[in-house]
Amino acid sequence: MIWPTKTSNYQELHEPLFNEKNVKVFMLRDDLLHPGISGNKWRKLKFNLLEIAQKGVQTIVTVGGSHSNHIAAVAEAGKVFGFNTIGLIRGYEAYRNNPTLSQASASGMDIRFLDKTEFAHMNANYLVELKEEIGSFEFIPMGGGNQNGMRGCAEINQDIPSHTTHIATACGTGSTLAGIVVGSKSSQQVIGFPAMKNGDFIQDDAIEMVNEYSKESKNNFEIITDYHFGGFAKMKPELVEFINAFFSNHGIALDGIYNGKMMFGIYDLIRKNHFPKGSIIATIHTGGVQGNKGLNAKYKIYLPVI
């Protein structure tokens, strides 16, 4: 298996606010790396799939929620690179026809739903029984949040100029953040914006992942938990307004689960003088705009989907 070499577009964002506060803001357009394997999923799946291909295993099993970007990306990757894929979905059969799972099914993924008990005991029970049913497979954890996923995300820094002072990313499992920290210079400050309530745990998880991967101690990052907007996949009118205004001003669609919250936070922190004058801030668009289809249907709102 050969993984295609791609370089992400890096573009400056222009706003009167940035001029007023004397900062520069750029966006790394990882959302454009692949139409179906979006953003950080392209990064996270790279070394996972290369290792699985080297082992000669044909079937990949993974897990996620009913609107999961990871599920959508693994399904598409299976189609592109010739793997059988099984998605274990935390939820109910009623979710099968939502936009994310419909597309995953169309890409060839076998969708199976796990109730709370099955999900809680997945490793001890469900995966053992699944192996008895289908034979050999490789398991990729939720969000691609393992060492291979972090290793792929460490390559993000190759597309960011070395004179950048701050690097910002949205956070789910913390593996994208950890990878960026591993690939960063000690002079750069990495900022993680959790998409869920009580996201402080990501700090410890990221430290653990960084320490497992790198012998060099890294403490040049912080977690900012003020921009979850009520919790994972929760929406508020000010976030919807911001995402649509951003799309109108820059022609860039942000998803409402991750990147919209992160960029809202960046603007707010700039407004509050969090960044010293002269700062050069790189924001990572981690993809996942497909999730806006589900948010639009659930909340009867409009977020861009292109």
Side-chain angles (χ1 to χ4, degrees):
M1 175 183 168
I2 299 175
W3 191 264
T5 299
K6 296 191 177 191
T7 300
S8 193
N9 293 341
Y10 190 68
Q11 65 184 84
E12 185 171 4
L13 305 177
H14 298 280
E15 293 274 9
L17 172 65
F18 305 159
N19 294 333
E20 176 191 340
K21 299 297 184 177
N22 192 20
V23 299
K24 289 185 177 294
V25 180
F26 295 81
M27 179 168 281
L28 187 69
R29 298 295 306 279
D30 269 13
D31 57 312
L32 302 179
L33 284 173
H34 189 278
I37 311 171
S38 181
N40 63 343
K41 305 311 176 191
W42 177 267
R43 308 280 191 175
K44 289 183 175 184
L45 289 178
K46 175 181 177 179
F47 291 107
N48 275 295
L49 296 189
L50 287 172
E51 181 178 287
I52 291 169
Q54 188 175 33
K55 291 179 178 178
V57 178
Q58 294 298 313
T59 299
I60 297 170
V61 177
T62 195
V63 62
S66 58
H67 298 285
S68 167
N69 297 323
H70 174 68
I71 289 292
V74 171
E76 182 67 15
K79 177 182 176 182
V80 171
F81 296 109
F83 294 99
N84 302 317
T85 58
I86 299 175
L88 308 180
I89 309 302
R90 182 180 56 192
Y92 307 98
E93 182 68 33
Y95 300 153
R96 183 174 294 276
N97 294 322
N98 76 25
T100 299
L101 298 185
S102 293
Q103 183 57 50
S105 294
S107 295
M109 176 174 274
D110 177 4
I111 300 293
R112 305 186 181 197
F113 293 93
L114 275 61
D115 60 29
K116 290 182 179 179
T117 301
E118 289 173 323
F119 190 84
H121 301 285
M122 180 177 58
N123 290 334
N125 297 336
Y126 192 90
L127 292 180
V128 174
E129 295 172 1
L130 185 61
K131 190 170 185 178
E132 293 176 356
E133 175 191 343
I134 69 172
S136 178
F137 64 82
E138 285 291 316
F139 180 74
I140 300 178
M142 183 178 294
N146 57 12
Q147 286 288 310
N148 276 330
M150 189 191 72
R151 180 184 173 193
C153 288
E155 294 186 344
I156 288 172
N157 300 69
Q158 297 173 7
D159 293 338
I160 298 174
S162 60
H163 63 270
T164 299
T165 60
H166 298 77
I167 305 173
T169 184
C171 296
T173 63
S175 54
T176 299
L177 173 72
I180 293 171
V181 171
V182 166
S184 69
K185 298 168 59 179
S186 59
S187 60
Q188 295 173 321
Q189 183 72 10
V190 183
I191 308 172
F193 292 84
M196 69 293 290
K197 277 185 179 180
N198 305 315
D200 301 89
F201 71 91
I202 292 176
Q203 181 89 19
D204 292 336
D205 287 358
I207 290 173
E208 183 177 347
M209 283 186 276
V210 169
N211 289 340
E212 286 179 5
Y213 186 83
S214 174
K215 294 181 180 179
E216 181 184 357
S217 178
K218 294 264 193 173
N219 59 5
N220 59 324
F221 71 98
E222 62 179 323
I223 301 295
I224 296 181
T225 60
D226 300 330
Y227 302 100
H228 55 72
F229 287 89
F232 188 77
K234 301 294 185 181
M235 300 298 300
K236 290 188 176 181
E238 57 266 38
L239 179 59
V240 175
E241 181 181 352
F242 173 82
I243 291 172
N244 283 314
F246 189 88
F247 182 67
S248 177
N249 291 338
H250 301 288
I252 301 172
L254 302 173
D255 73 289
I257 298 177
Y258 291 104
N259 295 287
K261 295 177 179 180
M262 182 263 293
M263 288 306 299
F264 187 103
I266 289 292
Y267 275 59
D268 193 48
L269 291 174
I270 291 173
R271 203 173 287 113
K272 294 175 178 176
N273 300 310
H274 178 86
F275 299 99
K277 291 183 178 180
S279 293
I280 301 172
I281 306 162
T283 62
I284 315 301
H285 194 316
T286 58
V289 177
Q290 66 86 26
N292 285 352
K293 296 177 183 177
L295 294 175
N296 287 343
K298 180 178 180 179
Y299 292 107
K300 310 301 180 188
I301 57 177
Y302 175 77
L303 297 174
V305 294
I306 57 172

